[in-house]
Amino acid sequence: MPRAPERQRVTHGAILAIAVPIMLSNVSTPLLGVVDTGVVGQLPDPAYIGAVAVGALVFNYVFWGFGFLRMGTTGLTAQAFGAADATEIRASLGRAVLIALAVGAALIALQWPLREAAFALLAASPRVEGLARDYYDVRIWAAPATLTNYALLGWFIGLGRARVALALQLVLNITNIVLDTLFVLGLGLGVKGVAGGTVVAEVVAAATGLIIAAFQLRGFGGRWNFGRLLAPDRVRRTLAVNRDIMIRSLALIFIFSWFTAQGAKQGDTTLAANAVLINIVAVAVYFLDGLAFAAEAFVGRAVGEANRADLLSAVRMTTWWAAWVAVLASAVVLPLGPAIIALLSVDEPVRAAARTYLPWAALAPLVGVWCFQLDGIFIGATRAAEMRNAMLMSVVIFLLGWWLLRPWGNHGLWAALYVHYVARTLTLLYYFPAVLRSVPATVEASFRGREAEPGMQKPTSR
């Protein structure tokens, strides 16, 4: 009989064992963009840099919309692990990969209308757009592998295997960096080389992840059960969770797109200053995501185990750490912000504008951390419908706040972004008691008459 994996108690050490690798993984991602820019920056025409930036932006938005493959898989997998259901652990991975491949194939099939729609919305010079289209035509073929990597990342996090997630991200980024350098500087393939390097790297990372997943599954016992994999009720649940998370993600994209568009109406300098500051906020969020991901894993496990005590412990401990990371992030950004701004922009008017609005960016982690953590809690509990409803309400509140705050210009725009953070927090808190009520107060009652599958350990009360 396969050896059962040890169950992790909810402790500060266990939380950091997930959060820290995720933080390191997230920080490695911006490095890839820097290398891409540096590689094409060696070419004599500056249009190459613009083309890679525009092309990458298109795929960032397209793939962000399918982030449900990561989030939904994390919650469903963590719950299966908590319930000691080895067959469902396998099935959660299988369904996610099947959805990833189907959606990826659909994106390839629809690449022409997607390309035309994307570039119709982007204002770029003919030279830059032509090169960006070359980038798009190659990069689109990575869609199945990219989405499979999302599914694998969610599955490994759901199992608490954050170090594996970090290793896969490093495989992806290092392979990409090496191939970009080879294809562009060695073979002279230009932007097609950058896109081609990304395609190959995504495929390598996906293949590596699937191989590691196969070895991980050997330790869980259970077997592939295609009746369970394609069971209508479980497929419907998976699709419903993913649908609601996708709607929530699109609503969030709308908020930040609106923020960018309204900044653009205030002039190029304000637009650039806001872009610099949003990038600074994004780095802070990279770190906070580590704690949100830990919340997803431990909350999902507690829900699957039907253990309210562990659920409350996961909520308290991950939020405690997230609050301190947010304080640290703001404490670093506020004094060092001017130096960071100077590194990100050489234009003095942009630097001056960014310094003016820096306090908004510096304090954003303190305001946003609460909704980030609640997102992690709700993802782990797979309460996707409530997440969807909370985000849609937050969009309405954000737009109302923006309309009322318009007289204050860009300060009002940043204040509206804060309104969105607060709205997300309050609307999710409204639904939070239902999450608690859905989990029994004792483990024994929920496991009466039910045994774990062979090869898995039955949870015990603590």
Side-chain angles (χ1 to χ4, degrees):
M1 181 179 296
R3 183 177 61 85
E6 293 184 2
R7 288 199 172 278
Q8 286 181 297
R9 296 183 59 192
V10 184
T11 64
H12 291 293
I15 287 169
L16 293 179
I18 293 178
V20 172
I22 296 301
M23 292 177 186
L24 295 175
S25 173
N26 287 343
V27 170
S28 73
T29 301
L31 176 63
L32 179 59
V34 172
V35 172
D36 281 350
T37 301
V39 168
V40 295
Q42 304 305 307
L43 303 176
D45 190 343
Y48 287 108
I49 295 178
V52 170
V54 170
L57 178 65
V58 170
F59 286 102
N60 286 343
Y61 274 95
V62 169
F63 292 142
W64 193 13
F66 294 102
F68 63 79
L69 280 166
R70 204 283 304 161
M71 292 181 277
T73 305
T74 296
L76 294 169
T77 302
Q79 290 180 23
F81 184 81
D85 190 341
T87 300
E88 184 58 24
I89 289 174
R90 291 173 177 268
S92 64
L93 174 62
R95 289 189 209 104
V97 171
L98 287 176
I99 293 172
L101 294 176
V103 172
L107 289 175
I108 291 174
L110 297 172
Q111 61 181 286
W112 185 85
L114 287 173
R115 182 187 63 193
E116 297 308 309
F119 286 104
L121 297 174
L122 294 171
S125 68
R127 172 65 171 161
V128 168
E129 181 174 329
L131 290 170
R133 284 173 175 268
D134 289 340
Y135 178 95
Y136 175 97
D137 289 342
V138 175
R139 175 81 184 274
I140 190 66
W141 293 94
T146 299
L147 298 181
T148 296
N149 283 322
Y150 285 7
L152 286 164
L153 176 62
W155 191 73
F156 284 120
I157 292 173
L159 296 177
R161 307 299 199 265
R163 291 182 181 178
V164 177
L166 170 60
L168 289 180
Q169 193 65 48
L170 292 177
V171 167
L172 172 64
N173 290 344
I174 292 172
T175 303
N176 206 341
I177 289 169
V178 171
L179 293 179
D180 281 359
T181 304
L182 172 63
F183 291 168
V184 176
L185 301 183
L187 302 179
L189 298 179
V191 295
K192 289 184 177 181
V194 175
T198 301
V199 172
V200 176
E202 294 280 8
V203 171
V204 169
T208 303
L210 290 171
I211 292 170
I212 294 174
F215 280 100
Q216 294 276 327
L217 286 172
R218 292 174 60 185
F220 283 91
R223 58 188 176 82
W224 286 105
N225 184 324
F226 290 97
R228 173 79 75 90
L229 179 66
L230 302 175
D233 59 329
R234 295 181 183 270
V235 171
R236 280 195 298 269
R237 185 192 181 206
T238 300
L239 293 176
V241 168
N242 289 337
R243 175 202 64 208
D244 291 335
I245 293 177
M246 183 177 187
I247 294 171
R248 172 258 180 199
S249 297
L250 292 175
L252 185 59
I253 290 172
F254 171 82
I255 287 174
F256 281 94
S257 298
W258 187 274
F259 178 88
T260 300
Q262 297 307 313
K265 290 182 179 179
Q266 299 181 51
D268 290 347
T269 298
T270 299
L271 172 64
N274 284 351
V276 168
L277 295 175
I278 284 293
N279 279 323
I280 293 174
V281 174
V283 173
V285 174
Y286 284 147
F287 286 95
L288 293 172
D289 270 351
L291 280 310
F293 283 21
E296 293 175 23
F298 283 105
V299 167
R301 194 172 301 174
V303 170
E305 189 180 343
N307 188 329
R308 186 183 294 182
D310 271 11
L311 171 61
L312 290 171
S313 294
V315 170
R316 293 186 186 119
M317 290 186 191
T318 57
T319 303
W320 185 89
W321 278 104
W324 280 109
V325 171
V327 169
L328 179 62
S330 292
V332 168
V333 171
L334 199 56
L336 297 182
I340 299 172
I341 291 168
L343 288 174
L344 295 177
S345 175
V346 297
D347 186 83
E348 188 51 45
V350 171
R351 287 178 173 178
R355 288 194 296 267
T356 298
Y357 304 112
L358 175 62
W360 291 107
L363 299 177
L366 294 176
V367 181
V369 61
W370 316 109
C371 62
F372 303 154
Q373 279 305 109
L374 283 165
D375 279 346
I377 292 164
F378 276 72
I379 289 169
T382 59
R383 307 291 290 213
E386 289 89 341
M387 288 182 68
R388 175 202 64 201
N389 295 341
M391 183 59 75
L392 292 176
M393 286 188 283
S394 298
V395 169
V396 174
I397 296 169
F398 163 74
L399 290 174
L400 178 60
W402 164 78
W403 185 78
L404 293 173
L405 293 164
R406 283 185 303 166
W408 284 273
N410 201 48
H411 284 293
L413 183 60
W414 275 94
L417 193 64
Y418 275 40
V419 169
H420 137 256
Y421 285 141
V422 174
R424 279 171 64 187
T425 300
L426 295 179
T427 51
L428 288 170
L429 282 175
Y430 172 79
Y431 291 112
F432 181 68
V435 176
L436 291 182
R437 289 193 298 268
S438 69
V439 180
T442 60
V443 178
E444 289 82 3
S446 63
F447 274 87
R448 191 175 297 130
R450 177 159 74 87
E451 293 296 330
E453 288 194 18
M456 294 287 288
Q457 291 179 342
K458 176 181 174 181
T460 58
S461 62
R462 294 188 265 279

